[in-house]
Amino acid sequence: MKKEPNYYKDRVALNVLAGSLQNGIECYKAAEKHIVLGLLTKNYNDNQSAIEDMIEYQSEIENAISVGLGSGDPKQSMMVSQVAKVVQPQHVNQVFTGVGTSRALLEQNETVINGLVSPTGKVGMVNIATGPLSSKYSAEVSIDAAIALLKDMGGTSIKFFPMNGLAHKEEFVAVAKACAENEFALEPTGGIDLNNFTEILQIALDAGVKHIIPHIYSSIIDKKTGLTRPDDVAKLFEAVKELVG
């Protein structure tokens, strides 16, 4: 069972939410398998129900699962680690302080684990206080230091959240540059839609980031059904193919 995302030309994999098993399958096909489907522990009452559901998805989408927190909720950190240990997904979303626990419980280095850092309003600086207790405070460090700390903990990528689209463009440019220089993956998240997706992905590609996993969530979800629109996923993937070449 493959435990690494299926990046398009070894560069980009989309990350969208799966509203149901069928919805996940449709989105998986729409992105021609270059995608990880987000399943949020916040939506489950306990570990076992999450595990059972995710294993069902696993067999249908070739393990293209992203175990998520749910709006970066630090209270979900331990549940994400415990569920991921059993499921062995291709992708794990974590708050900064939960990365080491997830990597240790997974007992392998293939699964991508991101560490959530937040914008500070200062170019080159990020807030790493995103854990269950630390999120009440602020701990600003250089993006290079944040990457080094994540590497120490077994992390694979920076999850830059919440970006609010291009509201933190200059900061994002600096984060992308640092990820490229430190050979670290990047996951832009928050407020990304069909209108700004191209510019955001282009920034990361231009910086030379090897692996990019943009998260596109609420903007492509049908409000009536709660399902991600496969047609929009297809549009996003067409943009990926055009930009990556």
Side-chain angles (χ1 to χ4, degrees):
M1 184 171 64
K2 192 171 185 286
K3 294 177 184 174
E4 294 176 312
N6 182 26
Y7 298 101
Y8 177 71
K9 293 193 175 179
D10 201 29
R11 292 301 298 278
V12 180
L14 298 173
N15 187 325
V16 307
L17 293 178
S20 69
L21 179 57
Q22 186 58 38
N23 186 223
I25 292 170
E26 291 173 0
C27 290
Y28 184 60
K29 291 178 179 177
E32 298 177 21
K33 302 184 179 182
H34 299 289
I35 193 170
V36 286
L37 285 302
L39 297 171
L40 312 177
T41 59
K42 197 170 187 175
N43 293 338
Y44 297 93
N45 293 325
D46 52 53
N47 288 10
Q48 193 56 38
S49 60
I51 290 166
E52 290 173 0
D53 199 35
M54 290 183 195
I55 287 175
E56 187 178 358
Y57 276 82
Q58 202 168 45
S59 62
E60 296 291 338
I61 57 174
E62 301 175 276
N63 197 36
I65 293 170
S66 170
V67 181
L69 300 153
S71 301
D73 185 355
K75 294 190 292 295
Q76 294 297 310
S77 179
M78 186 55 69
M79 185 175 178
V80 163
S81 292
Q82 292 168 340
V83 168
K85 174 186 178 181
V86 180
V87 176
Q88 295 286 309
Q90 292 181 0
H91 185 270
V92 172
N93 286 277
Q94 261 300 0
V95 293
F96 192 89
T97 55
V99 170
T101 300
S102 283
R103 182 60 75 195
L105 290 178
L106 282 166
E107 296 186 314
Q108 43 90 351
N109 293 315
E110 298 164 79
T111 296
V112 169
I113 305 175
N114 67 35
L116 195 162
V117 304
S118 300
T120 61
K122 303 171 187 174
V123 175
M125 302 294 288
V126 293
N127 176 31
I128 63 172
T130 59
L133 298 177
S134 58
S135 57
K136 299 174 184 176
Y137 306 93
S138 176
E140 296 182 4
V141 303
S142 70
I143 181 59
D144 294 292
I147 290 171
L149 286 163
L150 285 170
K151 284 184 174 182
D152 282 345
M153 294 187 287
T156 315
S157 61
I158 283 281
K159 179 178 180 179
F160 194 50
F161 172 84
M163 280 179 52
N164 297 318
L166 287 161
H168 299 277
K169 182 177 177 179
E170 290 184 9
E171 290 176 75
F172 179 60
V173 169
V175 168
K177 182 173 180 288
C179 284
E181 292 174 348
N182 291 284
E183 298 181 349
F184 211 57
L186 174 59
E187 305 188 29
T189 316
I192 302 178
D193 57 30
L194 290 168
N195 294 318
N196 59 29
F197 174 77
T198 298
E199 184 173 355
I200 289 169
L201 179 57
Q202 189 68 64
I203 287 170
L205 289 168
D206 287 348
V209 182
K210 183 177 181 182
H211 289 148
I212 309 157
I213 305 178
H215 295 226
I216 311 93
Y217 284 2
S218 59
S219 67
I220 59 170
I221 291 176
D222 187 307
K223 292 180 180 178
K224 291 182 180 178
T225 64
L227 303 176
T228 294
R229 293 185 288 267
D231 287 349
D232 284 351
V233 174
K235 291 174 185 175
L236 291 167
F237 186 59
E238 284 302 313
V240 169
K241 289 192 287 187
E242 186 175 333
L243 293 178
V244 174

